[in-house]
Amino acid sequence: MLVKYWMKRDVTTVDEADSLQKAIMVMRETGQPLLPVLKEGNLVGVITDRDLKRASASDATALEIHELAYLIAKITVGDVMTRSVITVPADYTLEEAAAQLLINNISGVPVVDEEGKIVGIISQREMFLALLSLTGFGKQGIQLAVEVEDLPGSIKEVTDLVRSRGGRLVSLLTSYERARSGHRRMYIRAWAIDRTTIQKMLDDIRAKATLLYFVDHRDHKREEFLQSGK
């Protein structure tokens, strides 16, 4: 999943010479987690909610309200913006972009083209939307997690059991994280399953793999098994 397919393309920017007051209003109106800052059309910085709070939490907070409002109107974006701009290219994967957010402890980054021009922003919000899409959460249905031996065909054995109950696979994710040596964990979301056969399906899955948890979103049923703590 590439950044260019998930980034916010309609990006609002501010100019380095704009007032802090304007930046506050723009961020409030757009809901963007960060505002790219331009000077003569070039990206020179970003301003975030953190920058705004830092600027507002200066000694100016001891002033009376009308004096504080006057001071904020005089402070420019260039006075408080972050100048070391972290950007990502549009052809980055979401994982690469997420790593940048995590490493640098930031909520989002501008996305730039080969010439360094802004083509969008990617933030935690877009990451969450991508996660929900990737896992098929909007389809509701059921989700189950199992731990299988890391052998050819072990995944198919489990998915075949889901399909045998009429289930349509919405998403299938696997990971070695937290799995026992020689095993991998598998997370399946499916829908259109005949609810009257679910218990038999789970019993059949237990014969092939270690069942970790089961969630039925339609009936708000959740069941976690002792093995999930391993």
Side-chain angles (χ1 to χ4, degrees), residues 19-204:
S19 69
L20 180 62
Q21 187 177 47
K22 178 180 178 179
I24 292 173
M25 292 177 60
V26 169
M27 187 169 287
R28 183 180 301 155
E29 291 172 357
T30 63
Q32 281 185 200
L34 76 157
L35 297 174
V37 182
L38 305 182
K39 181 179 181 181
E40 298 178 355
N42 297 314
L43 181 65
V44 293
V46 294
I47 190 162
T48 66
D49 182 60
R50 183 187 304 172
D51 296 319
L52 297 179
K53 288 177 179 177
R54 185 175 63 246
S56 300
S58 64
D59 292 339
T61 55
L63 300 175
E64 293 184 6
I65 296 298
H66 70 279
E67 294 174 313
L68 178 58
Y70 174 79
L71 184 59
I72 290 177
K74 288 296 183 180
I75 297 174
T76 68
V77 168
D79 293 330
V80 299
M81 70 182 185
T82 299
R83 295 182 179 274
S84 297
V85 185
I86 299 169
T87 63
V88 298
D91 61 356
Y92 251 33
T93 65
L94 285 181
E95 295 93 335
E96 290 175 308
Q100 289 300 313
L101 268 58
L102 185 62
I103 292 170
N104 295 285
N105 192 28
I106 52 180
S107 60
V109 292
V111 183
V112 297
D113 61 16
E114 295 83 356
E115 299 176 352
K117 299 296 183 181
I118 298 175
V119 294
I121 62 171
I122 189 77
S123 69
Q124 292 174 344
R125 182 178 185 276
E126 287 74 44
M127 300 286 183
F128 293 151
L129 290 173
L131 176 63
L132 292 176
S133 174
L134 181 64
T135 60
F137 180 73
K139 293 289 186 180
Q140 297 301 311
I142 69 163
Q143 185 186 59
L144 57 92
V146 299
E147 189 173 270
V148 298
E149 287 190 84
D150 190 20
L151 296 172
S154 60
I155 292 177
K156 185 176 183 300
E157 286 184 338
V158 176
T159 56
D160 282 350
L161 290 173
V162 176
R163 290 192 180 96
S164 71
R165 303 296 169 178
R168 296 184 60 183
L169 297 183
V170 180
S171 68
L172 172 61
L173 305 175
T174 69
S175 173
Y176 292 106
E177 194 72 25
R178 298 180 62 200
R180 291 172 294 168
S181 177
H183 293 71
R184 69 164 65 186
R185 293 197 169 190
M186 177 169 55
Y187 304 89
I188 300 172
R189 186 178 296 280
W191 63 291
I193 291 181
D194 181 353
R195 256 61 180 192
T196 63
T197 67
I198 283 181
Q199 189 56 56
K200 180 62 168 62
M201 179 190 72
L202 295 179
D203 291 340
D204 290 343

